[in-house]
Amino acid sequence: MSRETLFNAALLLGLIAVPAWAVMTDEPFTITLATRAVILALAAAGLNIALGIGGLVSLGHAVFFGIGGYAMGILAHHAQSYTPLMEWPFLIEGTKFMPVIWLLAIVVSALAALVIGILSLRTTGAYFIMITLAFGQMFYYFAISWSTYGGEDGMSIYVRNDFPGLNTLAPIQFYGLCLAILVVVLIFSARLRRAPFGLGLNAARQVPARVEAVGMDPMRLKLVAFVISGVITGLAGALFADLNRFVSPTMFSWQFSGEIMILVILGGVGRLFGPVAGAVTFVALEHFLGGITEFWHIFLGLILLAVVLFARGGITGLVAGKEATHD
C-alpha cells in the first residue's frame, strides 16, 4: 500500500472520527466546521477534474457554485412563502425536498457549464482564464441586480430542506449526508481517471496532436470534463446554501473562484484527495488563526507560497511523495 493511499485513508478516517468525537463531547459547532470543510472539498473536487486532469485553469467556477446555491435558495424561498415559482404556461411550485433541489442544481449547472465551456474552450492559457473570470463577474453582477431574490443583501432560508429518512436539522445527520456525497464523488473521480475518457483527457492536456491522431477530439474531451466539473461544483453550492440557510451574490465572486483553486493547489493538483486535504487545512486555518487575527490570510498566503515553491504536489505530495496514486 502506497504512502498516498495511507494518507488518503487517514484523511477519510479523520473526517469520520472528528465529528464522532464532537457528538460525544456535545460540540455541534465542530460538526458545522467539518461540514463546511466537506462541502468545500466537494467543490474543489469538481474543479480538480477540470484542472488536475484536463489542465483547465478556471477562475469562474464560482458561477456553478452560485447557481447551485441559488437553485436551492429560490426553490426553498417559494416553498416557505407558499408562492408558486411560475403559474403560466404551467404551475411550478417551490420545494424543500433535497433530491429535487439537487437535480435542478445539477441540470442548470450542466447547461451553464456547457455554454461557458463551448465559448471559453475556443481559447487557451491566459485568455481562457480571463473568459471564465468574465463569466463569473457577469453572474455576480446579475445576482446583485436581481432584487426579486434579495439583490445585494442576499436571501435567507429559515428551515433546512428535507431528505428522506433524515433529520437534516441535526448537525451530524446533515454532515453524514454531505460526507456520503463527497465519498461518492471521489470514487467517481478515481474511476474517471482510469477510464478511457480520463486517459484521453490527460493525454489531451499533454499532447493534443497525438490524441487527434488516434481519432479523438481534444476539445470535446475538455468540454465534457468542464461540464462534469461544473455539475459537481454546482451540487456543492446547493449543499453550502443549505448549510448556511442563506444565499448571496458573493457565491459568484471571483474571490470565491480563487478560494476553490487555492484548495486544489494547497492539497495537490491532480491528487484524488488533494481537494480534501486543501479544504481541511483551509477551514482549520480560518477557524484557529481567524480567532487570533482578521489578517489570517497572510499566513495562508505564506503557506501557499511555500507549497508552490517547495511542494509542487501540495500537502498530499509533501506527505506521500512525488508519485500520484488514485486509489
Side-chain angles (χ1 to χ4, degrees), residues 197-226:
F197 171 80
L199 297 175
L201 178 62
N202 189 41
R205 172 176 62 86
Q206 299 181 59
V207 193
R210 292 186 180 181
V211 175
E212 291 180 342
V214 296
M216 301 176 73
D217 185 353
M219 184 70 71
R220 183 173 297 177
L221 290 171
K222 291 181 179 180
L223 179 60
V224 172
F226 193 77

Side-chain angles (χ1 to χ4, degrees), residues 50-237:
L51 176 61
I53 308 177
L56 301 174
V57 184
S58 168
L59 262 183
H61 257 56
V63 167
F64 315 122
F65 195 83
I67 285 174
Y70 270 82
M72 172 272 173
I74 291 171
L75 288 177
H77 168 75
H78 284 278
Q80 72 183 14
S81 63
Y82 301 101
T83 57
L85 184 65
M86 179 186 297
E87 295 185 83
W88 188 89
F90 43 82
L91 179 66
I92 299 179
E93 296 182 322
T95 180
K96 296 179 182 177
F97 191 56
M98 282 187 182
V100 173
I101 292 171
W102 296 347
L103 179 61
L104 179 66
I106 286 171
V107 170
V108 179
S109 296
L111 291 174
L114 180 63
V115 173
I116 293 173
I118 289 174
L119 296 174
S120 301
L121 288 169
R122 297 173 181 270
T123 64
T124 57
Y127 297 103
F128 176 81
I129 297 172
M130 295 309 296
I131 287 180
T132 55
L133 174 62
F135 274 109
Q137 291 301 96
M138 286 168 55
F139 275 84
Y140 172 72
Y141 286 110
F142 174 77
I144 283 179
S145 64
W146 204 3
S147 58
T148 304
Y149 298 110
E152 189 173 3
D153 296 327
M155 180 170 53
S156 295
I157 307 300
Y158 301 112
V159 179
R160 183 164 290 157
N161 296 303
D162 304 319
F163 189 86
L166 294 179
N167 175 16
T168 54
L169 283 173
I172 192 62
Q173 295 193 37
F174 183 64
Y175 173 79
L177 180 62
C178 295
L179 181 60
I181 293 173
L182 175 62
V183 170
V184 169
V185 167
L186 290 175
I187 292 172
F188 170 77
S189 297
R191 292 183 177 274
L192 184 70
R193 294 164 190 267
R194 295 172 173 174
F197 171 80
L199 297 175
L201 178 62
N202 189 41
R205 172 176 62 86
Q206 299 181 59
V207 193
R210 292 186 180 181
V211 175
E212 291 180 342
V214 296
M216 301 176 73
D217 185 353
M219 184 70 71
R220 183 173 297 177
L221 290 171
K222 291 181 179 180
L223 179 60
V224 172
F226 193 77
V227 171
I228 294 173
S229 177
V231 163
I232 295 171
T233 305
L235 178 58

Side-chain angles (χ1 to χ4, degrees), residues 207-268:
V207 193
R210 292 186 180 181
V211 175
E212 291 180 342
V214 296
M216 301 176 73
D217 185 353
M219 184 70 71
R220 183 173 297 177
L221 290 171
K222 291 181 179 180
L223 179 60
V224 172
F226 193 77
V227 171
I228 294 173
S229 177
V231 163
I232 295 171
T233 305
L235 178 58
L239 291 172
F240 192 78
D242 239 327
L243 171 66
N244 298 315
R245 282 176 274 178
F246 179 74
V247 294
S248 74
T250 56
M251 297 182 74
F252 288 108
S253 68
W254 69 267
Q255 291 95 332
F256 195 81
S257 289
E259 282 187 8
I260 299 175
M261 187 171 295
I262 285 173
L263 301 183
V264 178
I265 296 172
L266 194 60

